[in-house]
Amino acid sequence: VNDKHIKYLNEAHRLAKKKFGSTFPNPVVGCLIVKNNQILSKAVTAPEGRPHAEEIAIKKAGQKSKGATMYVTLEPCFHKSRNGSCADQILRSGIKKIYIARHDSDKRTNKKSIHKLIKNKISTTVGLTEEKTNLLNNFFFKSLENKRPYIKVKMAISQDQKIAWSNYDSKWISNSKSREHAHKLRFSSQAIFTTAKTISKDNPRFTVRKKNKIIKHLPVIIIDNSLKISLKSNILKDISKKRVIIFTSTKNTKYEFLKSLGCEIILLKKMKNKQLNLKTIFKKIF
Amino acid sequence: VNDKHIKYLNEAHRLAKKKFGSTFPNPVVGCLIVKNNQILSKAVTAPEGRPHAEEIAIKKAGQKSKGATMYVTLEPCFHKSRNGSCADQILRSGIKKIYIARHDSDKRTNKKSIHKLIKNKISTTVGLTEEKTNLLNNFFFKSLENKRPYIKVKMAISQDQKIAWSNYDSKWISNSKSREHAHKLRFSSQAIFTTAKTISKDNPRFTVRKKNKIIKHLPVIIIDNSLKISLKSNILKDISKKRVIIFTSTKNTKYEFLKSLGCEIILLKKMKNKQLNLKTIFKKIF
């Protein structure tokens, strides 16, 4: 008996998945409005997170929403946007049933919309296909939970678990396929996190490329405790196009020069072991 | 000697003025980047406030920004957006001179960008044509200052300062010109604020119309202390298209019904004189 509803929810998940990476800082959400077994409208969270999928779907369906059923991969927001919360917009639309794949653990919503919908006599079913929302929006739930950014680590390691020869003479051990994948990962990320050592050894451009063409610029966050980064680094050559954020404990003339170039520098105290505290850094960039 | 700079600033003001009303909740800002007496790029704050004019202008001008002069009608923001603050973006771009018509009194910026630009050796001139920014963005500065929305009152009053006969038999005393002007005012406003009495006497639609066609829906905020609003009001007929926010001190079955229709109701305590406190309401909607 749930097959039909799962089918529609899965279609909403499929829509969301296609747009993964474009809706930061918001999770990507898919939404369908259905009446008499006909799909009235489909929508996904808009680029950069607003408007939400529900708002777009309701607008598309128009007056036909009255008496319809909504399928949505995440609990509609309870907090206000320009047009009111998505929960309020659903109430206004006259939608009578809703299937929500998973509640939103963002504390501004956190089941408040579900309660409001139920209280206002919308038939509300929560939890079917929940795991699909979890998987796709891992970055969102995990970072909320841990209060730090969701981080993917990219390392090229050989079978003996080394990353380079001790004299750094070794060359690329990744291949074109893995590099292509790395650029896909970059494309759907918010920033690249690295160290001054990687910059001095590899002199990376840290752009997002597809078939060797630059398709996106991401902020680059660098740990550079003693400000060793070379002023001739590739990363500083195209500084007009991206944010370069440096964490350091050193304040000298190089610090001032990097700042006047437009680097954003965050000064932190060293720990006893003379390193910067990664936890503090993660908190700052959350 | 300032003529040239005032000319460019005025062009920035002219650009901003054309887009007034589309950039809420942000002020509307115009920006020019000029090099060797040639305009490299022009921009205005994007719809709904982001990206800012400076960010768009820098992106348009590209590498040519290096060594150029920026003319902008408001101090660039110091607080972060996706691409860093506008102050940081100006530093990254290589712009060497900037003319700012007025500082931004938003406490997140409030001269901090001006100080940062000067500290990083950008030649910075503030204050030329300041009064033009003030006039255009009155809504922004005034509401920041008073911590309540900037409100324009529209009343049709006869020469003897009355608004209607005591039996309400009187008809429109406004004319087509004044009504057209009122719709222009609505168009560049964020919400319509009214009372249950106006709704019961006039049964307005409160849409934004041009040549009798609806071109925009605004949230309608209603003071309705005893929930007297008729359920047959025009305002409730197209509730799917707009937010209806009601301030009241009454909680009854009508309250629940209005909520289930999708009205957002805010329950307030009455004052001793049995009225709602307008100051409290203004604070809530700020």
Side-chain angles (χ1 to χ4, degrees):
Chain A
V1 68
N2 274 334
D3 281 7
K4 186 177 86 175
H5 307 307
I6 288 173
K7 190 189 85 183
Y8 288 130
L9 277 170
N10 280 342
E11 172 62 10
H13 287 297
R14 197 188 60 80
L15 291 171
K17 197 173 177 181
K18 283 200 321 193
K19 297 289 179 187
F20 179 77
S22 67
T23 63
F24 285 122
N26 288 357
V28 63
V29 174
C31 180
L32 252 66
I33 299 177
V34 176
K35 194 154 87 177
N36 304 326
N37 292 313
Q38 285 220 314
I39 296 176
L40 295 180
S41 64
K42 298 180 181 191
V44 187
T45 323
E48 317 225 346
R50 292 259 175 205
H52 292 167
E54 302 92 311
E55 178 165 348
I56 303 169
I58 289 172
K59 206 168 176 186
K60 273 190 187 172
Q63 303 289 4
K64 290 184 193 161
S65 296
K66 221 168 182 168
T69 302
M70 176 179 277
Y71 296 86
V72 60
T73 61
L74 186 67
E75 178 182 5
C77 72
F78 188 78
H79 42 287
K80 300 276 178 291
S81 83
R82 168 171 286 259
N83 293 317
S85 69
C86 283
D88 286 329
Q89 289 181 60
I90 291 165
L91 287 174
R92 292 205 307 260
S93 73
I95 281 172
K96 278 296 153 227
K97 275 189 186 179
I98 187 165
Y99 287 82
I100 298 169
R102 194 207 126 109
H103 77 275
D104 183 1
S105 39
D106 183 325
K107 68 174 182 221
R108 292 169 299 174
T109 294
N110 204 11
K111 301 186 185 163
K112 287 187 206 128
S113 291
I114 292 170
H115 290 149
K116 184 166 193 173
L117 294 169
I118 293 171
K119 215 182 140 198
N120 285 293
K121 306 201 174 66
I122 310 287
S123 151
T124 308
T125 309
V126 184
L128 291 174
T129 73
E130 171 169 354
E131 68 292 342
K132 288 203 174 181
T133 303
N134 282 342
L135 263 177
L136 186 63
N137 284 307
N138 229 337
F139 84 91
F140 179 72
F141 301 119
K142 287 288 178 202
S143 63
L144 268 183
E145 205 179 294
N146 303 323
K147 296 194 186 358
R148 59 164 177 77
Y150 183 70
I151 296 165
K152 290 184 176 175
V153 179
K154 178 231 159 194
M155 296 177 92
I157 28 178
S158 55
Q159 255 188 336
D160 58 354
Q161 311 203 354
K162 307 288 190 216
I163 59 165
W165 294 355
S166 56
N167 64 2
Y168 289 96
D169 265 357
S170 57
K171 286 292 167 197
W172 280 0
I173 57 176
S174 56
N175 62 24
S176 63
K177 239 186 183 162
S178 69
R179 283 191 297 272
E180 201 183 297
H181 180 67
H183 278 275
K184 269 190 193 160
L185 278 184
R186 276 187 194 171
F187 186 77
S188 62
S189 296
Q190 275 181 290
I192 294 170
F193 190 73
T194 189
T195 63
K197 192 157 187 185
T198 293
I199 295 202
S200 79
K201 293 300 175 196
D202 295 352
N203 197 15
R205 286 169 289 170
F206 280 145
T207 47
V208 185
R209 299 183 296 274
K210 201 173 172 179
K211 294 179 184 163
N212 252 319
K213 272 185 77 174
I214 296 174
I215 54 170
K216 201 176 183 176
H217 292 278
L218 287 179
V220 178
I221 303 165
I222 306 164
I223 303 189
D224 191 358
N225 200 342
S226 333
L227 286 187
K228 286 190 179 153
I229 184 181
S230 158
L231 295 175
K232 288 178 183 167
S233 311
N234 282 330
I235 201 74
L236 294 177
K237 273 182 201 155
D238 62 356
I239 194 165
S240 66
K241 290 176 188 153
K242 63 174 75 164
R243 293 176 75 173
V244 173
I245 301 161
I246 301 174
F247 283 92
T248 190
S249 67
T250 305
K251 196 167 180 178
N252 53 19
T253 48
K254 196 167 179 184
Y255 175 101
E256 296 298 340
F257 184 74
L258 286 166
K259 251 196 143 157
S260 75
L261 281 180
C263 294
E264 297 164 54
I265 312 192
I266 298 165
L267 203 60
L268 290 182
K269 277 194 185 140
K270 295 189 267 209
M271 297 187 296
K272 273 183 192 158
N273 66 4
K274 298 194 175 168
Q275 302 286 303
L276 297 179
N277 188 333
L278 212 49
K279 274 196 186 164
T280 312
I281 292 175
F282 286 159
K283 246 187 213 156
K284 291 258 179 201
I285 58 179
F286 180 52
Chain B
V1 68
N2 275 332
D3 279 7
K4 186 176 86 175
H5 307 306
I6 288 174
K7 189 189 82 182
Y8 287 129
L9 277 171
N10 279 342
E11 172 62 10
H13 287 298
R14 198 189 59 82
L15 292 171
K17 197 173 177 183
K18 284 202 317 197
K19 297 289 179 189
F20 179 76
S22 67
T23 63
F24 286 120
N26 288 355
V28 62
V29 174
C31 179
L32 252 67
I33 299 177
V34 176
K35 195 154 86 176
N36 305 327
N37 292 314
Q38 284 219 315
I39 296 175
L40 296 180
S41 63
K42 299 180 181 192
V44 187
T45 323
E48 317 226 343
R50 292 258 175 208
H52 291 168
E54 301 91 313
E55 177 165 351
I56 303 169
I58 288 171
K59 206 167 177 188
K60 275 190 187 172
Q63 304 289 8
K64 291 185 194 161
S65 296
K66 222 169 183 167
T69 302
M70 176 179 278
Y71 296 87
V72 61
T73 61
L74 186 67
E75 178 182 6
C77 71
F78 188 78
H79 43 288
K80 300 276 178 288
S81 83
R82 165 171 288 257
N83 293 317
S85 68
C86 283
D88 285 329
Q89 290 182 60
I90 291 166
L91 287 173
R92 294 206 306 262
S93 72
I95 282 172
K96 279 296 151 227
K97 274 190 188 180
I98 186 166
Y99 287 82
I100 299 169
R102 196 209 125 108
H103 76 277
D104 183 1
S105 39
D106 183 325
K107 68 174 182 223
R108 293 170 298 175
T109 295
N110 204 11
K111 302 187 184 164
K112 289 188 205 124
S113 292
I114 292 170
H115 291 148
K116 185 167 193 172
L117 294 169
I118 292 171
K119 214 180 142 201
N120 284 293
K121 306 203 174 70
I122 311 286
S123 149
T124 307
T125 309
V126 184
L128 291 175
T129 72
E130 171 170 354
E131 68 292 344
K132 286 204 175 182
T133 303
N134 282 342
L135 262 177
L136 187 62
N137 284 306
N138 228 335
F139 84 92
F140 179 72
F141 301 119
K142 287 288 178 199
S143 63
L144 268 182
E145 203 178 295
N146 302 324
K147 296 196 188 352
R148 59 164 176 77
Y150 183 69
I151 296 165
K152 291 185 176 176
V153 179
K154 178 234 161 195
M155 296 176 92
I157 27 176
S158 53
Q159 253 187 339
D160 57 355
Q161 310 205 353
K162 308 289 188 214
I163 60 165
W165 295 354
S166 55
N167 64 1
Y168 290 97
D169 264 358
S170 57
K171 287 292 167 195
W172 280 0
I173 57 174
S174 56
N175 62 25
S176 63
K177 240 186 179 160
S178 69
R179 283 190 298 275
E180 200 184 298
H181 180 66
H183 278 274
K184 269 191 194 161
L185 279 183
R186 277 188 194 169
F187 185 78
S188 62
S189 297
Q190 274 182 290
I192 295 170
F193 189 73
T194 189
T195 63
K197 192 156 184 185
T198 293
I199 296 203
S200 78
K201 293 301 175 194
D202 294 352
N203 196 16
R205 287 169 287 172
F206 281 145
T207 48
V208 185
R209 300 183 297 275
K210 201 174 172 179
K211 292 178 186 165
N212 253 318
K213 274 187 75 174
I214 296 173
I215 53 171
K216 201 174 184 179
H217 291 279
L218 287 179
V220 178
I221 305 166
I222 306 165
I223 303 188
D224 190 359
N225 200 342
S226 335
L227 286 187
K228 286 190 179 151
I229 183 180
S230 159
L231 295 174
K232 289 180 181 163
S233 312
N234 282 329
I235 202 74
L236 294 176
K237 274 183 201 153
D238 61 356
I239 193 164
S240 65
K241 290 176 188 152
K242 63 175 74 162
R243 295 177 74 174
V244 173
I245 301 161
I246 301 174
F247 284 92
T248 191
S249 66
T250 305
K251 196 167 180 178
N252 51 20
T253 48
K254 196 168 178 183
Y255 175 103
E256 295 299 339
F257 183 74
L258 285 165
K259 251 196 141 151
S260 76
L261 280 182
C263 294
E264 299 163 53
I265 312 192
I266 299 165
L267 203 59
L268 289 183
K269 278 196 185 140
K270 295 189 268 209
M271 299 187 295
K272 275 186 192 155
N273 66 4
K274 296 191 176 168
Q275 302 286 304
L276 298 179
N277 189 334
L278 212 50
K279 274 197 185 163
T280 312
I281 293 176
F282 286 160
K283 246 187 212 155
K284 291 260 177 197
I285 58 178
F286 180 51

